[in-house]
Amino acid sequence: MTIKTKLLKLLILGAPASGKGTISSRIVKKYNVSHVSSGDKLRDHIEKQTDLGKEVKKYLNEGKLVPDDVMIKFMITELNKVNNKSWLLDGFPRTVAQADALWKVQPVDVVLNLVVPFEVIIDRVKNRWVHLPSGRVYNIGFNTPKVEGKDDVTGEDLVQRPDDKPEAVRKRLEIYESATRPVIDYYRNKNILKEFEGRTSDEIWPKVTAYLDPILIK
Ligand code: AMP
């Protein structure tokens, strides 16, 4: 299998806990593209207590969106660091202002939208644990870690994200509806939106590969 030489700019959209993280890591692994996840990068800054980390911490803990000006500057800088490789953008843009700013400097080629029922999302979040340094996500009862509370690869502690608390999740889903819905329409109007429906990532994944194989593999 050879990866096509044309560099592709992919974007993945989906509500919080729609399986975006899981599908993204599978795409990154299968097609060897760079994963640029705004949430992972922000959590990394918080962990390292950088100036940006200190500035954005309260937004993440409360499940609120980081202001557009901060996000736009940060993410465009991050994208410019990716050299000569296709990328998959995850978590950005979340508002039309962000989408517009991105379009001006890095117009994306393909937008994948994951469509997962609301009740499935609520249930999933309750059981979600993450390994912060790597961003690996576990779901109790579905992909349970081998040792309770520990990352399979490093054996380090897993944590529940503060924004996975029920109140923060409700807030994030509300924000998603009001701020991010228009982003979906933005890309639909540009005719580059492709939607994938399902209740689990395993149900969605074959649909994603059926779509991406012809455009990413020779
Ligand atoms: P995620 O891991 O993508 O769900 O992002 C976690 C949190 O990071 C969000 O709830 C926001 O507080 C913040 N965040 C990530 N990406 C963005 C963005 N594009 N715009 C504003 N805030 C963001």
Side-chain angles (χ1 to χ4, degrees):
M1 173 176 106
T2 340
I3 303 298
K4 277 192 175 163
T5 43
K6 177 184 178 329
L7 297 184
L8 272 185
K9 298 171 181 180
L10 308 175
L11 165 61
I12 186 161
L13 296 175
S18 59
K20 213 160 37 80
T22 306
I23 297 289
S24 297
S25 5
R26 290 185 190 178
I27 292 175
V28 167
K29 200 166 157 209
K30 172 156 193 194
Y31 303 103
N32 186 31
V33 300
S34 276
H35 189 196
V36 186
S37 157
S38 57
D40 284 354
K41 289 197 185 292
L42 292 175
R43 279 185 289 276
D44 197 43
H45 275 268
I46 292 173
E47 180 89 348
K48 295 193 175 118
Q49 300 183 19
T50 65
D51 287 345
L52 178 72
K54 287 178 192 151
E55 188 182 348
V56 302
K57 188 174 178 178
K58 63 175 186 300
Y59 296 101
L60 274 89
N61 283 349
E62 291 168 18
K64 292 186 183 148
L65 290 185
V66 173
D68 281 342
D69 53 340
V70 177
M71 277 319 292
I72 290 168
K73 194 165 155 233
F74 175 55
M75 289 306 287
I76 287 176
T77 310
E78 288 298 320
L79 283 173
N80 284 337
K81 289 184 194 165
V82 182
N83 254 332
N84 207 22
K85 204 170 171 190
S86 293
W87 44 249
L88 173 69
L89 191 51
D90 172 4
F92 178 90
R94 265 182 164 85
T95 64
V96 170
Q98 293 177 10
D100 247 335
L102 176 68
W103 193 260
K104 289 191 181 113
V105 291
Q106 299 261 20
V108 286
D109 299 301
V110 173
V111 179
L112 316 170
N113 185 31
L114 309 184
V115 183
V116 178
F118 186 83
E119 74 276 8
V120 174
I121 288 179
I122 295 286
D123 215 48
R124 191 177 287 169
V125 165
K126 280 194 275 186
N127 296 316
R128 179 157 81 168
W129 292 80
V130 291
H131 176 240
L132 280 181
S134 68
R136 272 186 289 280
V137 177
Y138 298 86
N139 293 282
I140 310 303
F142 185 60
N143 65 329
T144 312
K146 289 184 189 125
V147 178
E148 192 186 322
K150 303 286 178 195
D151 176 48
D152 285 355
V153 178
T154 62
E156 290 165 353
D157 284 346
L158 300 177
V159 296
Q160 214 154 18
R161 282 163 44 174
D163 57 350
D164 276 350
K165 302 216 169 87
E167 201 32 49
V169 173
R170 206 174 49 76
K171 178 105 213 139
R172 285 160 73 208
L173 286 171
E174 277 168 22
I175 291 173
Y176 181 75
E177 279 303 319
S178 59
T180 311
R181 276 280 157 216
V183 174
I184 297 173
D185 293 335
Y186 179 94
Y187 291 117
R188 188 177 285 121
N189 290 336
K190 297 204 180 288
N191 281 323
I192 53 171
L193 186 77
K194 178 76 190 157
E195 305 206 87
F196 303 91
E197 291 178 24
R199 296 179 72 85
T200 65
S201 297
D202 284 344
E203 209 180 306
I204 290 179
W205 177 239
K207 302 178 187 178
V208 172
T209 54
Y211 178 71
L212 288 181
D213 279 0
I215 58 176
L216 279 165
I217 301 172
K218 256 186 204 147

